[in-house]
Amino acid sequence: GENVEQHPSTLSVQEGDSAVIKCTYSDSASNYFPWYKQELGKGPQLIIDIRSNVGEKKDQRIAVTLNKTAKHFSLHITETQPEDSAVYFCAAATYGQNFVFGPGTRLSVLP
Amino acid sequence: DAGVIQSPRHEVTEMGQEVTLRCKPISGHNSLFWYRQTMMRGLELLIYFNNNVPIDDSGMPEDRFSAKMPNASFSTLKIQPSEPRDSAVYFCASKLQGAGNQPQHFGDGTRLSIL
């Protein structure tokens, strides 16, 4: 079955700097890759997703890149702000199958 | 639009008691998922339903756990009898299945503490 790894497990950046979180997956059939942000006391919330027919997607300060050959995808947050502090999860899925989540990255943005 | 609604938000009970967690999915969504989140094991899928039918319950840890979905707008996860190791945050999520790849939408969870 699918296995998703995520690095780093914790990340601290200065406000205004960029943050990058990387995930790798094992099943070459996976074709959907969502990213979730979980704030304290809340459920995971979708922030961006990418499908396997594109290599990059951007939404304001957030971007995701996908390398199907290497089977990895990354989340990029630019101009980080304190409210970006949270736990971020990547996931991989094949059409009709369940999501397999990575273990999460705790991002701290230091003022 | 209302998101996934879970109740209660917090539950504290003694070992051996029955616990029932409730979930109302987003209207129009036809897939529902129950997850458990702990520090040690992260997000674990317990069971999921398509069109109110349980599809895969291989993640349910023991026979003490059971889940039902009597209609498209309601699901329960029951633990009987509860044990301290069941303490965790339980999330419900829903999505629209059958329309290409779609994201799951999560509720804010039930924080369960078994004393």
Side-chain angles (χ1 to χ4, degrees):
Chain A
E2 176 66 276
N3 181 53
V4 176
E5 297 185 354
Q6 185 173 345
H7 298 280
S9 57
T10 60
L11 178 61
S12 293
V13 299
Q14 290 294 134
E15 182 177 357
D17 288 350
S18 295
V20 180
I21 302 170
K22 299 181 180 180
C23 288
T24 60
Y25 61 99
S26 60
D27 188 350
S28 57
S30 290
N31 58 4
Y32 179 62
F33 307 92
W35 284 89
Y36 287 82
K37 175 184 181 182
Q38 186 177 20
E39 297 176 326
L40 196 62
K42 301 279 191 178
Q45 299 298 306
L46 179 76
I47 55 172
I48 195 167
D49 57 6
I50 191 168
R51 291 169 173 79
S52 60
N53 57 345
V54 299
E56 184 173 357
K57 183 177 179 181
K58 190 173 181 180
D59 183 2
Q60 299 184 336
R61 296 186 298 108
I62 294 174
V64 58
T65 59
L66 171 65
N67 183 328
K68 287 188 64 180
T69 302
K71 289 190 281 190
H72 66 70
F73 56 111
S74 299
L75 177 72
H76 304 254
I77 306 174
T78 59
E79 301 173 21
T80 53
Q81 301 167 5
E83 52 264 38
D84 295 328
S85 296
V87 179
Y88 291 80
F89 294 94
C90 62
T94 306
Y95 179 75
Q97 301 299 314
N98 293 323
F99 292 8
V100 177
F101 286 89
T105 296
R106 183 174 299 278
L107 173 64
S108 299
V109 179
L110 309 174
Chain B
D1 287 343
V4 175
I5 299 172
Q6 293 187 244
S7 64
R9 289 297 316 278
H10 303 274
E11 175 88 14
V12 180
T13 192
E14 292 187 347
M15 182 175 66
Q17 297 298 305
E18 178 178 290
V19 173
T20 300
L21 311 182
R22 297 173 175 80
C23 176
K24 177 178 170 58
I26 292 173
S27 178
H29 283 187
N30 57 356
S31 287
L32 183 140
F33 306 80
W34 283 101
Y35 288 90
R36 179 171 66 177
Q37 185 178 44
T38 60
M39 289 293 293
M40 291 298 294
R41 302 170 74 97
L43 267 172
E44 300 176 273
L45 177 65
L46 300 178
I47 186 172
Y48 80 96
F49 297 80
N50 279 350
N51 297 312
N52 312 337
V53 176
I55 303 300
D56 183 358
D57 65 353
S58 59
M60 297 285 260
E62 299 171 35
D63 291 345
R64 299 184 295 105
F65 286 68
S66 62
K68 294 182 179 179
M69 192 164 186
N71 57 62
S73 58
F74 183 66
S75 178
T76 59
L77 177 68
K78 187 173 292 187
I79 308 173
Q80 166 64 16
S82 57
E83 296 183 4
R85 59 191 167 126
D86 302 330
S87 298
V89 182
Y90 291 80
F91 289 104
C92 175
S94 71
K95 66 175 280 189
L96 182 61
Q97 180 72 13
N101 282 314
Q102 295 295 323
Q104 295 180 16
H105 299 264
F106 285 78
D108 281 336
T110 295
R111 182 173 296 275
L112 178 63
S113 297
I114 308 297
L115 307 178

